[in-house]
Amino acid sequence: MTLRRGSSQKDPGPEPASVQAPPDDLSAPRTLHPESGRLRGHVLFWAILIPGLLLDLLTKSLVFSCLEKTPSKMYVLIPGLLNFTIDINTGGPFSIFRGNPGWLALATVAALVIIGYLYLSSVRTREWMMVVALGMIASGAFGNLFDRMKFGHVRDFVQVWIGNWPYPTFNLADILICVGA
């Protein structure tokens, strides 16, 4: 035992193992540290959204510029399983609502407004998993919205085959949306 500075009382030392607080409950929702304030949540959101958006736009641009030069407009990565191919999607997910890019753009803007509200609520309550998910969803939504506004369609290029059945073609923005959801 040691003496505390400025006191005649002895420091009892560390608490015995039986008295220490139990470890965090792993099933409890994860939150941002209370002392970090909202800034850490904002940084986290934008640190996911901006690189995700840039990576989505970069991959679309690179794949489309390379594949447009090939006669087949396709590059086989894993035969019978995974290809890069040029696919123009004028619809929504799985090509639903084909030919309505204006309505889909409007629906995307409405979804981004809702995401913005949820994001601000999540940062306020410091729910970091929600901030991460919303950053991913917003990143994908902005990537596909950019395509709709600039080209009138979304550029998809990842084609997965399951046996003889091709899964609908998608892009990185779609992956971000699905993983975030």
Side-chain angles (χ1 to χ4, degrees):
M1 293 189 139
T2 58
L3 289 177
R4 290 185 187 167
R5 184 182 287 192
S7 171
S8 61
Q9 295 179 338
K10 291 185 177 182
D11 183 6
E15 294 181 6
S18 62
V19 182
Q20 290 179 351
D24 288 342
D25 179 14
L26 297 178
S27 64
R30 298 289 173 222
T31 60
L32 294 171
H33 193 274
E35 295 176 11
S36 66
R38 295 181 191 158
L39 180 61
R40 194 175 275 176
H42 291 298
V43 169
L44 181 62
F45 179 80
W46 293 103
I48 291 168
L49 190 150
I50 292 171
L53 174 61
L54 294 176
L55 193 58
D56 173 60
L57 297 177
L58 179 66
T59 57
K60 289 175 186 174
S61 179
L62 286 173
V63 169
F64 270 65
S65 66
C66 290
L67 290 180
E68 286 174 344
K69 299 172 187 170
T70 64
S72 67
K73 308 286 188 231
M74 180 186 296
Y75 181 79
V76 177
L77 293 167
I78 303 173
L81 181 65
L82 181 63
N83 303 329
F84 279 174
T85 186
I86 292 179
D87 191 17
I88 304 301
N89 183 358
T90 60
F94 304 106
S95 298
I96 59 173
F97 305 121
R98 263 193 198 270
N100 294 306
W103 285 107
L104 289 166
L106 187 62
T108 303
V109 170
L112 285 167
V113 168
I114 293 168
I115 289 168
Y117 171 77
L118 292 172
Y119 155 65
L120 292 173
S121 298
S122 298
V123 168
R124 196 173 305 115
T125 59
R126 298 176 178 90
E127 296 176 23
W128 71 271
M129 286 298 287
M130 180 67 93
V131 171
V132 169
L134 292 172
M136 294 176 80
I137 296 167
S139 179
F142 274 119
N144 284 342
L145 180 62
F146 176 86
D147 276 7
R148 281 195 183 91
M149 301 303 286
K150 183 171 182 179
F151 305 109
H153 58 264
V154 173
R155 300 172 292 168
D156 290 333
F157 62 91
V158 180
Q159 184 180 49
V160 176
W161 287 81
I162 302 170
N164 291 328
W165 180 73
Y167 188 80
T169 310
F170 56 95
N171 58 37
L172 184 60
D174 299 331
I175 294 170
L176 288 165
I177 292 168
C178 289
V179 172

